[in-house]
Amino acid sequence: MRAADSDRQAVAERLRVALDEGRLDLHEYDDRLQRAYAARTYAELDALVGDLPAAGTVVPG
């Protein structure tokens, strides 16, 4: 299914939070952000955040 601009923006925000939490380094964040804005489908967007917990979630170690 095709993604909308608002979907790409939501993923970009989730990536920013992951960067702020230290889950992504700056290089990986930049790469994923570029891919998010180029994504055309939900599957492409899901692949960018699939390895990240929901924003603000604490994962026990």
Side-chain angles (χ1 to χ4, degrees):
M1 186 176 291
R2 301 285 286 197
D5 287 342
S6 60
D7 301 318
R8 286 183 278 278
Q9 187 60 42
V11 168
E13 177 59 20
R14 191 162 169 201
L15 293 172
R16 186 198 59 76
V17 169
L19 175 68
D20 290 346
E21 292 175 340
R23 299 182 191 280
L24 298 175
D25 64 31
L26 191 55
H27 177 74
E28 189 172 15
Y29 167 75
D30 185 52
D31 177 60
R32 289 188 191 204
L33 187 62
Q34 288 179 35
R35 291 169 41 205
Y37 283 115
R40 288 179 261 164
T41 66
Y42 286 118
E44 291 173 305
L45 291 175
D46 288 343
L48 298 173
V49 294
D51 63 338
L52 299 173
T57 301
V58 176
V59 179

